[in-house]
Amino acid sequence: MSTEKTNQSWGGRFSEPVDTFVARFTASVEFDKRLYRHDIMGSIAHASMLAQVGVLSDAERDSIVDGLKQIQGEIEAGQFDWRVDLEDVHMNIEAKLTERIGVTGKKLHTGRSRNDQVATDIRLWLRDEIDLILAEITRLQQGLLEQAEREAETIMPGFTHLQTAQPVTFGHHLLAWFEMLSRDHERLVDCRKRTNRMPLGSAALAGTTYPIDRSITCQLLGFEAVSGNSLDGVSDRDFAIEFCAAASLAMMHLSRFSEELVLWTSAQFQFIDLPDRFCTGSSIMPQKKNPDVPELVRGKSGRVFGALTGLLTLMKGQPLAYNKDNQEDKEPLFDAADTLRDSLRAFADMIPALKPRHAIMREAALRGFSTATDLADYLVRKGLPFRDCHEIVGHAVKYGVDNGKDLAEMSLEELRQFSDQIEQDVFAVLTLEGSVNARDHIGGTAPNQVRAAVKRGRELLASR
Ligand code: ARG
């Protein structure tokens, strides 16, 4: 990247060149060059509109559009020499255009400012990123539905306080993650609507004296609507903050999911096996197989929460309209989008490959008195008030702990010490299958309900 000084785009009122360090300090091209495609898209739409309203001739427009397309090709071929002295992606491209097509290139910026230009570019860029992220969410959700269908009858312990609570089906557990991701998807679709509004035409802050027609650029760029106030249009970044908030929630979900995978793959749980391709070893301990992918996703959630906090802080003290502070919006936003997309991609690849260990899950569910609530419900059905049943079963569990027996392992005589309402039919209730099958309503863990939820999930994905 070259760094010669003096900036022709605004050098007119200056009597000495910008300090070399200041030029580097204030430049953003190192990171905003990533916006080149959307910058060119916005410029082509702007030039087309200027020609349509008679500010540019058709020949001038054609020359600008051709020049911009050539520049795009050069950038994509890695042949573009980005110059730090030209500050940012916008001025680099404009300077190159003038170098290439001559004085007509200098007309591109008519009726426009970098302030509405950059606000437009980020929105166009984020709109595309949201679409890619939505596709990854859907791919991950498809994987969850497949696994849930396969594992509709697999029994595992459900936890509260990380203590065995009640038996659940593994399919049901996986579908909890499906639900969270559905809300993440909804949030991003919603955020996309507000991202998809066009600030172009706001110019520096007050609008422009040229007879622009914003509906033309709006349509060319596929925006849903034009922004209604030029001061707001150039300065606001709430769409980016909203994206980071939605991305933070999605990362928080993935981080919790990661935590379960880390626990479940441990020697202590052994609930699932993660294929080797998602793990790494230790350079000193030969036996190790570490769940690096979920651990990293859990760790990376912090970057996205940081982006959210960073952008909120960036905006909170800014008076209207554009301030240079806003140049600091890009790195956190880019990083949040990249991190979320990569994390989703890793999960979407990994989830269909999870191998549950059925026997171990089942055995864990048999331990820990997971059907204690079922015994209490059984006694309620025999006519006792729930609170009394709770107490009776509490005594039975205490007896079980002292004697090393789970409820289903006790004889009828042993159980009847706690209530004479207990009869032979209690054993059907104390089995794991009896327990999960009994929770047979929408949102319940019964295998039937898991299959019904998978069906609903498929319909949801098909409707997107
Ligand atoms: N690089 C700048 C940014 O990212 C572009 C807008 C600069 N506008 C200005 N008036 N200095 O915000």
Side-chain angles (χ1 to χ4, degrees):
M1 208 173 274
S2 44
T3 54
E4 299 138 47
K5 279 175 271 124
T6 69
N7 194 313
Q8 288 122 7
S9 306
W10 44 250
R13 61 106 58 225
F14 286 73
S15 48
E16 61 172 351
V18 178
D19 177 88
T20 320
F21 171 71
V22 171
R24 201 152 39 81
F25 185 69
T26 53
S28 55
V29 63
E30 292 278 8
F31 49 86
D32 68 15
K33 63 184 175 196
R34 183 171 177 172
L35 296 172
Y36 79 88
R37 205 159 49 80
H38 301 95
D39 191 68
I40 288 174
M41 198 188 288
S43 289
I44 289 178
H46 181 65
S48 306
M49 180 277 289
L50 288 180
Q52 235 172 295
V53 300
V55 173
L56 289 181
S57 71
D58 287 357
E60 285 169 333
R61 174 203 55 210
D62 292 346
S63 158
I64 288 174
V65 171
D66 280 357
L68 288 169
K69 285 185 176 160
Q70 280 177 36
I71 290 169
Q72 176 159 349
E74 236 174 81
I75 296 171
E76 280 162 6
Q79 288 159 357
F80 192 91
D81 180 27
W82 296 100
R83 287 172 47 184
V84 172
D85 62 306
L86 290 172
E87 239 179 276
D88 55 26
V89 61
H90 323 292
M91 293 200 290
N92 266 271
I93 291 174
E94 193 189 316
K96 180 65 81 182
L97 181 69
T98 302
E99 190 185 304
R100 172 145 306 161
I101 68 169
V103 70
T104 306
K106 295 186 182 177
K107 296 190 174 182
L108 169 62
H109 214 49
T110 312
R112 183 176 76 168
S113 152
R114 272 185 299 154
N115 297 351
D116 60 341
Q117 188 178 356
V118 70
T120 303
D121 292 1
I122 308 170
R123 285 171 184 267
L124 288 171
W125 176 85
L126 185 57
R127 191 176 77 179
D128 282 352
E129 287 301 307
I130 291 175
D131 289 343
L132 294 169
I133 289 167
L134 290 174
E136 288 295 355
I137 293 180
T138 298
R139 197 162 71 83
L140 170 53
Q141 288 189 291
Q142 264 153 4
L144 284 167
L145 290 179
E146 272 163 43
Q147 276 279 9
E149 189 169 50
R150 245 193 327 267
E151 308 297 336
E153 312 209 350
T154 306
I155 292 180
M156 65 179 285
F159 299 93
T160 59
H161 314 267
L162 203 58
Q163 311 286 321
T164 299
Q166 292 172 354
V168 294
T169 50
F170 184 43
H172 188 58
H173 193 113
L174 290 166
L175 291 180
W177 297 113
F178 180 91
E179 292 289 316
M180 291 177 236
L181 288 161
S182 295
R183 295 193 293 276
D184 291 328
H185 192 279
E186 266 177 43
R187 264 186 286 275
L188 286 165
V189 166
D190 207 53
C191 164
R192 190 190 190 284
K193 287 184 210 150
R194 282 175 291 280
T195 300
N196 200 19
R197 300 200 183 137
M198 190 188 77
L200 192 61
S202 303
L205 75 164
T208 176
T209 55
Y210 297 93
I212 58 168
D213 183 342
R214 299 181 72 199
S215 68
I216 296 174
T217 33
C218 181
Q219 215 212 329
L220 286 173
L221 294 171
F223 278 112
E224 228 166 72
V226 301
S227 60
N229 179 291
S230 60
L231 296 164
D232 176 49
V234 290
S235 63
D236 180 63
R237 296 290 182 272
D238 65 3
F239 64 97
I241 298 175
E242 192 177 342
F243 170 79
C244 287
S248 292
L249 285 166
M251 285 302 294
M252 178 273 291
H253 287 149
L254 292 183
S255 180
R256 295 183 65 196
F257 200 167
S258 296
E259 174 66 9
E260 295 206 324
L261 295 180
V262 171
L263 283 172
W264 291 354
T265 50
S266 70
Q268 286 65 32
F269 274 79
Q270 295 181 47
F271 280 8
I272 56 164
D273 202 34
L274 210 51
D276 287 359
R277 65 182 183 280
F278 299 106
C279 301
T280 62
S282 155
S283 51
I284 175 166
M285 295 168 283
Q287 85 283 12
K288 292 285 289 246
K289 175 174 156 184
N290 297 326
D292 285 36
V293 171
E295 286 177 285
L296 264 179
V297 169
R298 189 176 60 187
K300 280 177 188 290
S301 59
R303 303 169 72 116
V304 180
F305 305 169
L308 173 60
T309 310
L311 289 189
L312 282 168
T313 313
L314 175 72
M315 284 313 296
K316 75 174 276 293
Q318 286 194 49
L320 288 171
Y322 176 87
N323 302 282
K324 186 77 168 180
D325 312 42
N326 278 344
Q327 185 164 289
E328 287 290 307
D329 63 354
K330 286 164 212 64
E331 287 164 292
L333 180 63
F334 292 166
D335 191 65
D338 291 345
T339 304
L340 177 58
R341 176 136 76 101
D342 288 351
S343 303
L344 286 164
R345 179 188 164 164
F347 262 72
D349 291 344
M350 193 169 59
I351 292 309
L354 294 185
K355 297 255 178 313
R357 293 210 175 97
H358 295 164
I360 293 178
M361 284 182 164
R362 189 182 169 81
E363 213 203 301
L366 283 170
R367 275 180 277 120
F369 306 96
S370 66
T371 55
T373 318
D374 298 83
L375 179 55
D377 290 344
Y378 167 88
L379 291 168
V380 168
R381 287 197 295 276
K382 300 270 169 173
L384 301 182
F386 181 77
R387 274 293 152 231
D388 293 346
C389 302
H390 187 283
E391 164 126 31
I392 291 168
V393 178
H395 290 133
V397 167
K398 169 121 191 1
Y399 173 85
V401 171
D402 294 344
N403 293 277
K405 280 186 183 176
D406 209 276
L407 294 172
E409 291 166 344
M410 294 178 196
S411 67
L412 186 56
E413 290 65 51
E414 280 176 304
L415 287 167
R416 283 176 65 88
Q417 306 171 67
F418 309 106
S419 166
D420 55 12
Q421 300 288 316
I422 299 179
E423 289 162 77
Q424 187 60 38
D425 60 352
V426 75
F427 292 105
V429 163
L430 295 180
T431 64
L432 299 175
E433 281 72 17
S435 174
V436 295
N437 281 323
R439 288 165 170 77
D440 191 10
H441 52 78
I442 290 188
T445 194
N448 275 339
Q449 293 299 332
V450 173
R451 283 187 276 265
V454 167
K455 187 162 173 283
R456 288 198 302 274
R458 293 228 161 93
E459 281 160 16
L460 175 73
L461 298 194
S463 74
R464 283 180 183 163

